[in-house]
Amino acid sequence: MERPFADLNPSERAAIFEADGNITLDEMADKYHYSARHVARYLRLSKLIQPLREMLDDERLAFTSAVYVSFLSEEEQVLVYEVIEAMGTRLKPKMAKQLREQGGKLTEEVVEQVIRSMIVKRTTNDGIQVRLSEEIREKYFEGMTAVQIADIVEKAVVAWFSGKDGTDV
């Protein structure tokens, strides 16, 4: 019994699109009820190295991230795969886009730097958010990103509760 097209994983869909290579993107789009642009993205997946394809099929790699990474050379894709596996992180689309933009000059260090610069530290806070007034933000945090502000607030809270004077914040 054949599975419906919608039940296929991304690699299987890509293989079907690739097998239909004798028709145009527009014809494929009509045949499978996708946009021609989306069909083209699926066709890009054939450029992925096998470990990244497996991550995509296992939903450990976002479709958009996979498409961005597919533009990298095989050697650079191997670097990306090894770094994200070693770091135990997911490759977010913004990270993948940045890596694609640096394609051709990627090293292990560059891949790590790109990924680390875009990882937002998250702690379990049961969904609690702290809002600062505009006055406080302008007075103490002008020109800072949300990540920088959160880092300072965390240091201040640690200093407060540990009884320090907070001069190292």
Side-chain angles (χ1 to χ4, degrees), residues 12-166:
E12 292 169 327
R13 290 180 194 170
I16 289 172
F17 286 134
E18 200 167 27
D20 272 353
N22 57 343
I23 61 175
T24 68
L25 283 178
D26 289 328
E27 290 169 330
M28 280 188 233
D30 287 341
K31 181 177 177 180
Y32 295 101
H33 309 290
Y34 282 104
S35 69
R37 185 173 179 190
H38 205 62
V39 171
R41 288 180 180 145
Y42 270 105
L43 289 169
R44 283 294 321 166
L45 299 180
S46 67
K47 307 290 186 198
L48 281 177
I49 61 171
Q50 190 59 38
L52 290 174
R53 265 191 234 160
E54 290 170 7
M55 289 181 79
L56 174 66
D57 291 341
D58 294 341
E59 298 179 1
R60 294 182 297 134
L61 180 64
F63 181 83
T64 305
S65 297
V67 172
Y68 282 131
V69 173
S70 73
F71 287 91
L72 300 175
S73 69
E74 276 191 33
E75 295 80 19
E76 289 176 321
Q77 288 184 42
V78 169
L79 278 176
V80 169
Y81 173 75
E82 290 174 348
V83 169
I84 60 177
E85 282 292 293
M87 292 177 73
T89 190
R90 293 179 69 96
L91 188 65
K92 306 284 189 226
K94 284 184 180 181
M95 296 172 185
K97 183 179 182 185
Q98 183 72 31
L99 292 170
R100 178 188 175 188
E101 290 170 358
Q102 296 196 27
K105 52 188 173 207
L106 289 180
T107 63
E108 184 177 341
E109 293 77 26
V110 171
V111 174
E112 283 182 19
Q113 179 185 16
V114 166
I115 292 172
R116 286 190 197 287
S117 72
M118 295 184 162
I119 291 177
V120 177
K121 280 192 208 174
R122 301 222 186 263
T123 59
T124 56
N125 63 4
D126 297 329
I128 297 170
Q129 293 183 349
V130 176
R131 296 192 185 269
L132 301 173
S133 70
E134 190 66 34
E135 180 181 311
I136 290 175
R137 277 198 311 270
E138 286 176 2
K139 185 174 180 181
Y140 298 105
F141 304 107
E142 188 171 345
M144 292 185 188
T145 67
V147 172
Q148 292 169 321
I149 294 170
D151 187 48
I152 290 171
V153 170
E154 181 180 2
K155 288 178 183 173
V157 169
V158 168
W160 174 267
F161 284 105
S162 65
K164 296 179 183 175
D165 64 4

Side-chain angles (χ1 to χ4, degrees), residues 5-17:
F5 189 78
D7 290 346
L8 301 177
N9 66 42
S11 292
E12 292 169 327
R13 290 180 194 170
I16 289 172
F17 286 134

